[in-house]
């Protein structure tokens, strides 16, 4: 049996999913969208739970929200499990009504009854069940209370199809439903009442579905006639507004019958915290302060000791062990050098930074799961609006801190085409995790006492440059109206250990997978470029093909502080993936049994040129995967090449200001 899990955003759907399923598997993304397709196995090992995106209505505003309607129209499943927030009952029931109208068996999980109680709201599951005609079970998904009972209810008990005509929408709407039902006779297995109501509300997915079954002109005439009659009879502005009002009237009666309210004695803790962290004056400094502490933990207090220990293991026992195995097998000098100087040095040079990346992902997961990240978007809305965007555009940028690819894809949630394109173009300026090994290498070598401050400055630099460019682009090449920003602030929650582990691992395993495949192959190829040259094989490194390639761009890089073939080679290979910059440097600068790479870097860079190099890495051409994603999302070669060209120009301009300006100010 397959059961679909639905609910509004921030109703505890993920916690409920984790509590009901004994195991889970990620099945990529839903077709054409960024939303993850997640299927869990119930603890009885027989039934499956399909986690659908959090939505407020089956009438979608974005492609990501359209996943649910498309699922209802094209997929086969047996039951619906609807989770609702007891403290926000009236708003949540709008989705519930639409699910009941779909006609499949429904079970309701009444979540956050503890939160509702603290707010003076007592909801009766029995009265709610009686009013809706479907089973209702109270749960506290965060700690698992009541989840076993809910699981038995949805899996073991037979639940009949709900009554789809709970609401009388009035003569005009009901006649239109009857007319569409007559036209659809024998043409669909779906509830014709649900299809009709969704069509009359303006659901474009349902409209396209019905257009395949009924003459589109007939549909257009029908909806126009109904809208005119409803406007004339009831004085409403639109048909969907009228349907919404009828549902709201019905829901108000249910809420009145099923809830008991007591006077709220104190302001909830969540509201008191929000008064501080979303304050228009101190909200951003608080966010920057949290980021600074996060970077201290990542790059100094916890991260560097762990990375140093891992580096010691890779460069010591692991390398010695591999050399012993190679000697025992009688490997040739070529194979020995390829494995030790190429693969181990290249891949190992990236792997040593895994602890820092995992730590950073962990703290980002903490901020997400606690509910704070939604507050960051709210705080940023005023600034984003001033540059032609809104706070929703900052969410893909935050995602871009982990990886630019899903960040670019997350722009699909933005409704207006102009803002969506602008967000796609600017998200690659966010400092992704692939750049972290570069930062870690240079701050460890040149900024030992200021690691967190330097890394924070780079993150801030990326955001500031993105905002300035947003203002320029929105005033010139991408003019258009800015949409309104609406976001629900979830209640603050103490993150669960299991959820944190899953979230951190899901973010970190992509980095490890890349190290074991792409970077592995890249390191071998880069070493071969250092081994061969125009004059033959086993040439001095500065006579190799890699030196020739890097030497082409080296003169251009001179004014920004790092005009060497080594830097040029690293930047070129970094287009494949930013981690490959570290692999390339480890191979180029690798000296067996001598100083670490950080110590060697002092011979080639100064603190000023090192900071200029990091700023250039932050801003220059996005990696190959991000470029491919930009092309896929925009469908335009013009905008894809524009994203590469402007990034390269702005990176050079900023690095030039940093290096030449620093020299004028006396920095070295």
């Amino acid at each position: 049996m397959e059961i679909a899990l639905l609910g509004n955003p921030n109703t505890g759907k993920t916690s409920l999913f984790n509590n009901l399923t004994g195991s889970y598997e990620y099945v990529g993304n839903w077709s054409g969208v960024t939303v993850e397709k997640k299927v869990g196995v119930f603890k009885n090992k027989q039934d499956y739970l399909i986690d659908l995106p959090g939505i407020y209505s089956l009438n979608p505003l974005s492609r990501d929200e359209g996943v649910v309607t498309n699922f209802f129209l094209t997929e086969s499943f047996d039951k619906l499990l609807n989770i609702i927030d007891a403290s926000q009952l009236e708003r949540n029931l709008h989705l519930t009504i639409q699910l009941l109208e779909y006609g499949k068996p429904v079970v309701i999980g009444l979540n956050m009854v503890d939160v509702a109680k603290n707010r003076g709201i007592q909801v009766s599951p029995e009265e709610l069940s009686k009013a809706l005609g479907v089973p209702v079970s109270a749960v506290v998904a965060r700690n698992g209370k009541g989840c076993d009972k809910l699981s038995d209810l949805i899996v073991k008990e037979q639940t009949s199809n709900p009554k789809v005509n709970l609401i009388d929408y009035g003569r005009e709407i009901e006649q239109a439903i009857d007319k569409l039902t007559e036209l659809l006779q024998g043409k669909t297995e779906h509830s014709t009442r649900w299809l009709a109501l969704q069509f009359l509300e303006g659901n474009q997915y349902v409209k396209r579905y019905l257009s395949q079954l009924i003459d589109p002109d007939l549909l257009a005439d029908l909806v126009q006639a109904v809208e005119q009659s409803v406007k004339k009879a009831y004085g409403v502005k639109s048909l969907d507004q009228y349907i919404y009002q009828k549902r709201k009237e019905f829901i108000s009666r249910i809420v009145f019958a099923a809830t008991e309210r007591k006077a709220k004695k104190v302001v909830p803790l969540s509201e008191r915290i929000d008064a501080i962290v979303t304050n228009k004056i101190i909200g951003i400094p608080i966010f920057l302060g949290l980021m600074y502490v996060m970077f201290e933990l990542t790059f100094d207090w916890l991260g560097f000791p762990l990375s140093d220990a891992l580096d010691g293991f890779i460069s010591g026992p692991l390398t010695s062990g591999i050399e012993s195995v190679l000697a025992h097998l009688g490997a040739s000098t070529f194979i020995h050098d390829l494995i030790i100087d190429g693969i181990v040095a290249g891949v190992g040079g990236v792997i040593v930074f895994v602890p820092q990346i995992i730590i950073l992902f962990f703290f980002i997961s903490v901020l997400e799961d606690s509910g704070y990240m939604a507050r960051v978007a709210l705080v940023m809305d005023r600034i984003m609006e001033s540059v032609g965007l809104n706070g929703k555009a900052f969410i893909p940028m935050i995602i871009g801190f982990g990886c630019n690819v899903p960040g670019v894809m997350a722009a699909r949630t933005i409704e207006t085409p102009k803002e969506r394109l602008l967000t796609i173009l600017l998200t690659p300026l966010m400092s992704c995790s692939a750049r972290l090994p570069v930062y870690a290498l240079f701050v460890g070598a040149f900024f030992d006492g200021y690691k967190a401050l330097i890394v924070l400055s780079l993150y801030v630099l990326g955001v500031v440059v993105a905002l300035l460019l947003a203002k320029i682009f929105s005033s010139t090449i991408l003019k258009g109206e800015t949409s309104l920003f609406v976001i629900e602030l979830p209640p603050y929650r103490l993150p669960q250990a299991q959820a944190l582990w899953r979230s951190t691992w899901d973010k970190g395993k992509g980095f490890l997978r890349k190290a074991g495949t792409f970077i592995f192959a890249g390191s071998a190829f880069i070493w071969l470029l250092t081994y061969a040259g125009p004059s033959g094989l086993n040439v001095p490194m500065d006579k190799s093909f890699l030196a020739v390639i890097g030497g082409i761009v080296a003169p251009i890089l001179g004014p920004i502080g790092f005009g060497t073939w080594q830097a040029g080679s690293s930047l070129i290979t970094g287009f494949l993936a930013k981690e490959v910059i570290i692999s390339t440097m480890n191979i180029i600068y690798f000296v067996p049994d001598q100083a670490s790479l950080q110590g060697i870097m002092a011979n080639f860079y100064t603190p000023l040129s090192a900071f200029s190099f990091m700023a250039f890495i932050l801003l220059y051409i996005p990696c190959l995967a991000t470029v491919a994603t930009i092309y896929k999302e925009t469908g335009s070669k013009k905008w894809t090449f524009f994203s590469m060209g402007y990034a390269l120009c702005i990176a050079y301009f900023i690095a030039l200001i940093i290096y030449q300006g620093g020299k004028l100010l006396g920095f070295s």
Side-chain angles (χ1 to χ4, degrees), residues 81-157:
L81 174 56
N82 177 211
I83 180 170
I84 60 178
D85 179 354
S87 66
Q88 303 286 347
L89 189 61
E90 186 169 353
R91 186 190 63 214
N92 281 224
L93 285 176
H94 280 278
L95 175 61
T96 303
I97 296 301
Q98 294 175 68
L99 298 181
L100 294 173
E101 289 168 348
Y102 183 70
K104 286 277 188 181
V106 176
V107 173
I108 293 176
L110 183 65
N111 192 28
M112 299 189 189
V113 289
D114 54 338
V115 175
K117 186 176 180 180
N118 291 336
R119 296 180 180 178
I121 304 170
Q122 191 76 38
V123 182
S124 168
E126 294 77 16
E127 289 295 329
L128 192 60
S129 175
K130 181 180 176 182
L132 295 174
V134 294
V136 178
S137 182
V139 296
V140 180
R142 185 174 57 84
N143 59 22
K145 184 178 179 181
C147 287
D148 288 341
K149 180 180 177 182
L150 178 63
S151 180
D152 291 341
L153 191 63
I154 186 69
V155 171
K156 294 181 180 179
E157 294 191 17

Side-chain angles (χ1 to χ4, degrees), residues 5 29 35 57 64 75 116 144 175-176 233 274 302 309 321 331 336 391 406 449 451 483 520-521 552 583 643 650:
L5 173 61
N29 285 351
V35 176
S57 168
D64 281 2
E75 302 288 339
Q175 286 180 352
D274 279 344
L302 293 177
H336 175 276
K451 297 186 185 79
S483 62
F520 181 93
I552 295 172
S583 298
S643 70
I650 200 69

Side-chain angles (χ1 to χ4, degrees), residues 437-453:
V438 181
Y439 301 161
L441 172 65
F442 280 91
V443 296
F446 298 101
F447 306 102
D448 190 49
Y450 307 96
K451 297 186 185 79
L453 190 62

Side-chain angles (χ1 to χ4, degrees), residues 517-558:
T517 54
F518 190 81
I519 297 173
F520 181 93
S523 296
F525 179 69
I526 292 165
W527 182 85
L528 289 172
L529 288 177
T530 67
Y531 183 79
S535 60
L537 301 177
N538 198 18
V539 299
M541 193 173 293
D542 57 0
K543 302 293 184 183
S544 65
F545 284 123
L546 190 63
V548 172
I549 295 169
I552 295 172
V553 299
I556 304 172
L557 303 175

Side-chain angles (χ1 to χ4, degrees), residues 569-585:
S569 303
S570 301
L571 292 171
I572 291 171
T573 58
F575 170 63
L576 302 176
K578 295 299 185 282
E579 301 97 331
V580 179
I581 294 171
I582 293 298
S583 298
T584 305
M585 286 185 165

Side-chain angles (χ1 to χ4, degrees), residues 116 168 210 345 393 656:
D168 182 351
L210 291 179
L656 186 67

